[in-house]
Amino acid sequence: ATIRATGRRLITSPLVDTPAGWQIDLADFEDKAAQASAFILCSPHNPVGRVWTRTELEELAAICLRHGVRIISDEIHADFVYPTSRHTVLATLDSDVDAATVTCTAPSKTFNVAGLQVANIFAADDDTRLRMAAIYRRQGLHQHPALGLAACEAAYGGSSDAWVDELVAYLDRTMALIASPTAHQLGAVRVTRPEGTYLAWMDFRALGLDAAGLRHMVVDDARLWLSDGADFGTEGRGFLRLNAAFPRATIDDALKRLARAVARVTA
């Protein structure tokens, strides 16, 4: 909706759900890149939880450079990467990719400071930075919140490293619990353990419920509020997104209630 509100046309290149996990359809991506002026990359990916490999990023970047497509790389979840994966900042691939990329980050997810309204946008290209600064001034965003700047500096100053490591380790154990096929007897509900983010992408399609039935089971019966997968595009129908950034006891209780609701549907 935001993209369309700016008078631009939204072009999508859906991911492919394969037995090996969510993959990029490079042929489709190249076809769409030939029609586009800019590409928004979500890395790590929200909601499916993929951490793109360096090879995947190199393939995407090469296509964008070939078609003159500017890249906006949303890397806000980069701190949440689990031991099986490694995050690569897209702009570090090479100087050509760096010049074509705007990288977006923020301390808001990692340190829960969204209310301080601070974020970071990095661009190597001087012209791009000047154009962004002009846009901010037109929108009245030329003044930065003092508390937000102080929080951002404190967050990335190095003293928080050990705390972030402990946070990610805790979330990794939580994700293992959520994705376990036996931990809470979710039956036909499929959960792929994410490589990054603190969000679990849950596949309810095998239950055969329509949108209203799925909402009734989760909201009215299990008394939970999960993000509707359809909010992320038509390909997300039948999926729900669970925010795992809670104490383990809260997640455990939520999964037990969900399992009971699923059992009642499939009985």
Side-chain angles (χ1 to χ4, degrees):
T2 302
I3 292 172
R4 294 189 179 97
T6 64
R8 290 166 172 80
R9 180 168 62 101
L10 178 64
I11 303 172
T12 62
S13 180
L15 300 178
V16 180
D17 187 7
T18 76
W22 292 91
Q23 304 291 330
I24 301 165
D25 184 338
L26 289 173
D28 180 73
F29 182 79
E30 177 133 29
D31 178 64
K32 301 298 175 55
Q35 309 170 43
S37 59
F39 164 50
I40 300 175
L41 170 68
C42 193
S43 177
H45 192 278
N46 172 22
V48 306
R50 275 297 316 278
V51 174
W52 306 118
T53 65
R54 186 180 183 91
T55 298
E56 287 172 316
L57 293 174
E58 287 173 339
E59 291 170 330
L60 291 175
I63 291 172
C64 289
L65 292 179
R66 191 154 56 241
H67 294 280
V69 175
R70 298 299 300 268
I71 306 170
I72 303 167
S73 187
D74 174 2
E75 304 188 22
I76 196 170
H77 285 102
D79 289 328
F80 301 100
V81 175
Y82 302 119
T84 56
S85 302
R86 181 181 179 87
H87 177 72
T88 299
V89 177
L90 182 73
T92 65
L93 292 180
D94 62 44
S95 58
D96 290 337
V97 176
D98 190 17
T101 301
V102 172
T103 305
C104 305
T105 70
S108 55
K109 301 294 185 185
T110 309
F111 299 97
N112 197 22
V113 292
L116 296 181
Q117 299 183 342
V118 62
N120 314 298
I121 301 179
F122 303 93
D125 180 64
D126 291 336
D127 181 62
T128 298
R129 289 201 303 274
L130 290 173
R131 291 171 63 189
M132 288 193 300
I135 292 171
Y136 298 152
R137 285 193 296 271
R138 287 199 301 269
Q139 296 179 341
L141 299 176
H142 56 285
Q143 293 181 331
H144 307 291
L147 286 178
L149 290 175
C152 189
E153 182 178 358
Y156 293 126
S159 60
S160 302
D161 290 356
W163 180 86
V164 173
D165 289 343
E166 291 178 10
L167 169 65
V168 173
Y170 186 92
L171 286 168
D172 189 32
R173 293 191 295 272
T174 299
M175 287 302 187
L177 174 69
I178 295 171
S180 170
T182 58
H184 291 287
Q185 305 298 319
L186 290 177
V189 179
R190 181 169 64 96
V191 185
T192 301
R193 187 170 176 176
E195 299 167 342
T197 81
Y198 51 84
L199 305 159
W201 190 233
M202 309 181 77
D203 184 357
F204 290 80
R205 291 176 297 178
L207 298 181
L209 300 174
D210 60 14
L214 185 56
R215 177 182 173 83
H216 174 75
M217 182 189 75
V218 174
V219 177
D220 299 325
D221 192 358
R223 308 299 292 174
L224 299 172
W225 186 266
L226 308 183
S227 300
D228 188 346
D231 291 343
F232 300 93
T234 56
E235 298 80 13
R237 291 173 180 166
F239 289 84
L240 294 174
R241 188 186 68 168
L242 170 68
N243 184 338
F246 287 92
R248 193 79 39 73
T250 301
I251 295 296
D252 188 66
D253 176 65
L255 292 175
K256 287 177 180 176
R257 284 191 276 147
L258 183 59
R260 289 194 292 268
V262 168
R264 282 189 281 269
V265 166
T266 56

